[in-house]
Amino acid sequence: MRRYIRALMLCTVFAVLSALYVYSQLFEADGGNGPKKVIITAGAKQGPAEKNGPQKAHWLNRYIMRQRGQVEVGGGGSIQSRPEPPMHLAVVACGERLEETLTMIKSAVLFSIKRICLHIFAEDQLHATFMDALESWPGFVRSRFNYTVYTISFPSENAAEWKKLFKPCASQRLFLPLILKDIDSIVYVDSDILFLQPVDRLWAFLSRFNASQLAAMAPEHEEPRIAWYSRFARHPFYGTTGINSGVMLMNMTRMRNTFFKNDMTSVGLRWEELLMPLLQKYKLNITWGDQDLLNIIFHHNPETFLQFPCQWNYRPDHCIYGSNCVSAEEDGIYILHGNRGVYHDHKQPAFRAVYEAIQKYSFGADPVATLLDPLEEELVKTTHTYCVELGSGLVRKQSDWAPKEVNRRNRMKARRCLGG
């Protein structure tokens, strides 16, 4: 069991290494200046992007632009952009979640190929701080995304009840299809998420939806005998172990247009008609707030749901009682979910070490010296629980991580570990 867990964390760190190598090379090639300047706006509408004049593109820039859907045409090294539609990523931040949310966004920007449109729902007092922090990032980073900051909003007649359901503002995710009416699809993530794979790979699950599917999430657990829903739930839930809503992919056009089966009426209800009646019926029986409501909805509408593997939502629950996420054992962790507050206490040092490594990393800095070395120093100390032992496979010689090797052998290892 322990060798699987060691290999699991090793693959995860190779993912961090391989992605940050590309960005360190891009920073060197650009001299810290990106090809575009993005105007960031706050409010209810998306901010436009403003292009600077043309710049000469280094060969590595041209390679990365091709990876982002841009092609080189004509002579003289000129570039004509054919940008693909951006990916949309939403997060909700209330209370003390600002720094955690910024670290999540940082990991998303690091691990992305296509452009990202960020939709940040936050309490009003956090808006200026979010904008100041994001606009302080280097130009070559800001050119990869734009963002909009939104005020937290719920249906006026029940706003107080929705806001206090489970954690502050968590149920905002239920209303994204009704607020972002002009957006077709989106990835919602909790603020305690860290991307260790390109966001693009998660976004690609949209292409796997059949004609009826409109949402995708990972299971709450893999083992029914120790799963919370199968043991304790007092309401319907999806499948045998329920689903976890910390990472949620939504085709919101379909969500707005679908009539959902339910156990309250004999006719289907639209999304906006369904939520409050469900809360009124089950509020005395639900424990995890909006996540429980999603479980109830997809219990009655399983044909609309796609379940993706647990490696896309890897939580302490997958290792504190022994390893129980097979996809992560085989291919590595793709998204780390630090629920239970493990990024901010000492109960699961491996999770905290990965969080702090990404939080402290400076864009454009040497990823080996400023990310991998400090991360290793923390992870090799972890020895006394299954989750802590995720880091014990990182003992290695310094020469194994020499920059010249990052370009060749370690990136090959990373591709094998990450299934790419």
Side-chain angles (χ1 to χ4, degrees):
M1 176 69 72
R2 293 184 179 181
R3 69 175 181 271
Y4 289 123
I5 298 174
R6 294 185 182 117
L8 184 61
M9 198 57 174
L10 187 59
C11 288
T12 299
V13 174
F14 278 137
V16 177
L17 180 64
S18 60
L20 289 180
Y21 168 77
V22 173
Y23 280 86
S24 67
Q25 292 295 91
L26 177 59
F27 179 79
E28 292 172 5
D30 272 347
N33 296 315
K36 298 178 183 177
K37 178 180 179 181
V38 178
I39 296 178
I40 311 297
T41 64
K45 296 185 179 180
Q46 286 225 260
E50 179 183 326
K51 297 183 180 179
N52 284 337
Q55 301 180 14
K56 184 177 180 180
H58 186 277
W59 68 267
L60 182 59
N61 292 14
R62 295 199 297 270
Y63 169 77
I64 293 176
M65 282 190 276
R66 284 196 293 271
Q67 295 298 312
R68 296 175 190 164
Q70 299 175 339
V71 297
E72 184 174 346
V73 297
S78 62
I79 301 291
Q80 180 174 339
S81 296
R82 294 180 183 174
E84 297 182 29
M87 302 176 291
H88 292 270
L89 177 65
V91 65
V92 177
C94 286
E96 304 298 321
R97 298 283 182 157
L98 185 142
E99 188 61 37
E100 189 176 82
T101 304
L102 287 171
T103 304
M104 181 281 293
I105 294 172
K106 188 177 187 179
S107 74
V109 173
L110 284 171
F111 292 86
S112 65
I113 299 171
K114 292 192 298 185
R115 187 177 180 80
I116 300 177
C117 288
L118 295 168
H119 303 269
I120 303 169
F121 290 81
E123 293 173 309
D124 292 350
Q125 64 269 25
L126 300 179
H127 289 194
T129 310
F130 266 117
M131 290 189 286
D132 289 344
L134 293 174
E135 291 183 27
S136 72
W137 289 359
F140 81 98
V141 176
R142 287 187 284 111
S143 68
R144 298 183 53 77
F145 70 94
N146 62 8
Y147 71 86
T148 307
V149 179
Y150 303 82
T151 297
I152 299 294
S153 62
F154 297 104
S156 57
E157 62 273 20
N158 308 107
E161 188 169 9
W162 283 115
K163 186 171 183 177
K164 68 182 181 181
L165 182 67
F166 191 47
K167 294 181 180 179
C169 308
S171 58
Q172 181 74 81
R173 83 189 91 185
L174 295 176
F175 299 94
L176 295 182
L178 310 180
I179 297 170
L180 305 175
K181 295 181 179 180
D182 297 328
I183 296 173
D184 177 68
S185 297
I186 204 163
V187 173
Y188 165 85
V189 294
D190 286 347
S191 61
D192 53 3
I193 289 295
L194 291 174
F195 287 91
L196 302 179
Q197 272 281 301
V199 181
D200 310 61
R201 293 192 65 179
L202 179 62
W203 188 258
F205 276 98
L206 286 167
S207 64
R208 304 187 191 183
F209 283 9
N210 62 29
S212 62
Q213 289 170 332
L214 50 79
M217 285 173 267
E220 171 68 18
H221 215 285
E222 282 59 50
E223 174 50 63
R225 290 173 297 179
I226 57 175
W228 192 93
Y229 281 107
S230 56
R231 291 187 297 163
F232 304 119
R234 295 178 295 163
H235 57 78
F237 56 90
Y238 179 85
T240 57
T241 61
I243 49 180
N244 184 281
S245 59
V247 180
M248 184 177 179
L249 186 60
M250 294 180 275
N251 183 317
M252 298 194 297
T253 299
R254 291 183 180 180
M255 293 177 77
R256 288 186 287 262
N257 295 335
T258 297
F259 288 90
F260 292 88
K261 298 188 294 291
N262 59 88
D263 57 1
M264 298 172 294
T265 70
S266 59
V267 299
L269 297 176
R270 291 190 182 273
W271 191 258
E272 65 269 23
E273 301 169 332
L274 182 63
L275 297 177
M276 194 61 209
L278 270 183
L279 179 60
Q280 291 173 337
K281 178 173 182 177
Y282 286 106
K283 63 182 177 181
L284 297 180
N285 295 322
I286 61 176
T287 302
W288 308 112
D290 52 303
Q291 177 174 290
D292 289 348
L293 297 182
L294 289 167
N295 267 278
I296 296 167
I297 291 171
F298 292 113
H299 168 84
H300 294 293
N301 299 271
E303 72 284 355
T304 68
F305 183 79
L306 174 68
Q307 182 170 284
F308 49 65
C310 51
Q311 64 194 148
W312 288 103
N313 189 350
Y314 191 91
R315 309 185 309 282
D317 308 70
H318 291 116
C319 54
I320 55 178
Y321 306 116
S323 181
N324 55 60
C325 178
V326 175
S327 63
E329 290 180 2
E330 294 176 346
D331 300 318
I333 299 169
Y334 289 175
I335 290 179
L336 196 68
H337 186 174
N339 65 332
R340 302 177 183 266
V342 294
Y343 294 152
H344 312 293
D345 60 30
H346 298 284
K347 294 180 180 178
Q348 303 300 341
F351 280 78
R352 179 169 178 164
V354 177
Y355 172 81
E356 291 184 347
I358 295 176
Q359 180 190 36
K360 295 175 182 178
Y361 174 74
S362 297
F363 289 112
D366 177 4
V368 175
T370 63
L371 191 148
L372 263 298
D373 284 343
L375 177 58
E376 181 209 10
E377 291 178 6
E378 293 303 315
L379 290 175
V380 294
K381 301 174 184 177
T382 62
T383 58
H384 59 279
T385 75
Y386 278 107
C387 290
V388 174
E389 288 181 5
L390 287 171
S392 61
L394 291 175
V395 178
R396 42 75 172 170
K397 296 179 181 179
Q398 183 65 29
S399 59
D400 291 340
W401 299 85
K404 63 182 180 180
E405 293 298 304
V406 176
N407 188 28
R408 182 172 58 85
R409 180 162 53 83
N410 283 346
R411 286 204 295 159
M412 292 175 63
K413 288 182 181 179
R415 283 195 292 270
R416 288 197 297 270
C417 283
L418 300 169

